[in-house]
């Protein structure tokens, strides 16, 4: 998959309000393994950053294999458990 991820001013504002850096978001988007769920025009990706922070990123399809980052948040401990189990089960 050769996807393009982009940020706009609203992306940076939303990420700043959530206390998540754009660099952390890029780490999650490029992480392997990761959980990737594509529902219509919405793409959700969850994974840990290099520093161990678990983040879920929300994106909207902006063209063929092009996605706009619209938000991100840190996962709660219970969510981390679920995502970890999904990753261990081989779902990516």
């Amino acid at each position: 998959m050769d996807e393009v991820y982009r940020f706009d001013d609203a992306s940076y504002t939303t990420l700043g309000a959530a206390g998540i850096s754009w660099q952390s978001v890029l780490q999650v988007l490029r992480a392997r393994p990761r959980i990737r769920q594509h529902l219509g025009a919405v793409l959700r990706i969850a994974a840990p950053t290099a520093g161990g922070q678990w983040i879920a990123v929300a994106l909207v399809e902006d063209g063929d294999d092009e996605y706009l980052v619209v938000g991100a948040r840190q996962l709660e401990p219970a969510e981390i458990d679920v995502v970890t189990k999904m990753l261990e089960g081989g779902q990516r």
Side-chain angles (χ1 to χ4, degrees), residues 8-59:
D8 64 8
D9 289 340
S11 303
Y12 295 116
T13 300
T14 302
L15 294 175
I20 297 173
S21 71
W22 63 268
Q23 295 95 332
S24 294
V25 168
L26 283 178
Q27 289 176 18
V28 169
L29 296 176
R30 296 175 179 158
R32 299 293 187 274
R34 64 187 178 171
I35 297 299
R36 185 180 185 280
Q37 298 173 317
H38 201 261
L39 305 164
V42 176
L43 176 61
R44 296 184 312 172
I45 297 176
T49 65
Q53 181 183 27
W54 284 83
I55 295 175
V57 180
L59 307 100

